[in-house]
Amino acid sequence: MRPRKALIAALTAALLTGPGVAQAATPQTTQAAPAPARERAAAATITWSLVRASNPTEDQRTAYDAITRAMNAAVARYNNLSDLGKTITVRYEPGVPTADGNINGTIRFGSNRSYMTERTALHEIAHTIGVGTSSGWSRLGGSGTWTGGQATALVKQYDGSGAKISTGGGHFWPYGLNYDNEWSNTAADRHVHIVAAMVRDGL
């Protein structure tokens, strides 16, 4: 009689806990499948914050709004298309002629609103990641041509077998987004892919 009581007790427990709990205990459902490559890329860790005055002027408020739109768009593009990580602090400093980015994670925008754009933000984020600012940049781009294999292969894929990435003055082209006339959504996407490839090359 004892085995029958044990069986009844086990069946009662299973009914009370429900099938979801019972299934969760099986090895097949407790192991999460590895995330697809696209999902892993989307889990990038570029984050940013804007240093704001406690009692901003009208000029500061409008600058903060424009900078926020530019940075949100640029960071979203980097996070959607790459697995790069960086913590960035952004400042509005009217005395800066255009905008600049430092490998220490700082981006500064000057008062010229024409630079408070996604193109500029993408370009400056690249500087915080190491474009023109890292020892890897000097090693791989110091000759005037990027010598890293992955980024070079990528630009050939985009522009043909004779394509190369030129470097100079801490910048690269094509797809460096150095000027407004370089802007397009395709160029912006390729910019992010090339910067990510440069990092894999040793940027």
Side-chain angles (χ1 to χ4, degrees):
M1 291 295 178
R2 283 180 182 269
R4 184 174 177 178
K5 285 184 178 178
L7 178 61
I8 291 170
L11 288 172
T12 303
L15 287 171
L16 289 173
T17 56
V21 176
Q23 289 173 359
T26 63
Q28 291 85 352
T29 55
T30 53
Q31 292 182 344
R38 178 70 180 170
E39 288 182 21
R40 288 197 301 272
T45 55
I46 292 179
T47 59
W48 75 282
S49 60
L50 176 62
V51 177
R52 296 173 181 264
S54 56
N55 188 23
T57 63
E58 179 62 23
D59 174 69
Q60 288 171 323
R61 280 196 297 272
T62 60
Y64 295 162
D65 288 346
I67 291 167
T68 296
R69 286 191 297 272
M71 287 298 299
N72 279 344
V75 167
R77 193 180 298 263
Y78 263 102
N79 285 347
N80 286 334
L81 299 177
S82 80
D83 59 357
L84 298 173
K86 194 76 180 183
T87 300
I88 297 171
T89 301
V90 180
R91 298 177 184 276
Y92 172 51
E93 296 190 7
V96 174
T98 56
D100 57 40
N102 191 296
I103 199 167
N104 69 8
T106 299
I107 292 175
R108 303 183 306 165
F109 286 89
S111 60
N112 189 332
R113 298 308 197 256
S114 68
Y115 290 97
M116 295 177 186
T117 62
E118 183 184 358
R119 179 203 63 83
T120 303
L122 287 166
H123 177 93
E124 302 307 339
I125 290 170
H127 286 314
T128 72
I129 291 169
V131 169
T133 57
S134 70
S135 59
W137 172 264
S138 300
R139 187 177 70 255
L140 295 165
S143 67
T145 301
W146 183 260
T147 58
Q150 295 208 31
T152 300
L154 197 55
V155 79
K156 288 180 186 296
Q157 177 185 322
Y158 294 151
D159 295 339
S161 60
K164 66 176 184 175
I165 298 173
S166 298
T167 59
H171 299 93
F172 71 89
W173 61 93
Y175 308 115
L177 302 182
N178 304 295
Y179 301 101
D180 283 340
N181 63 7
E182 297 175 56
W183 172 260
S184 71
N185 276 311
T186 297
D189 287 352
R190 289 178 177 183
H191 169 86
V192 173
H193 288 308
I194 286 174
V195 172
M198 285 178 165
V199 171
R200 294 192 297 274
D201 281 334
L203 178 64

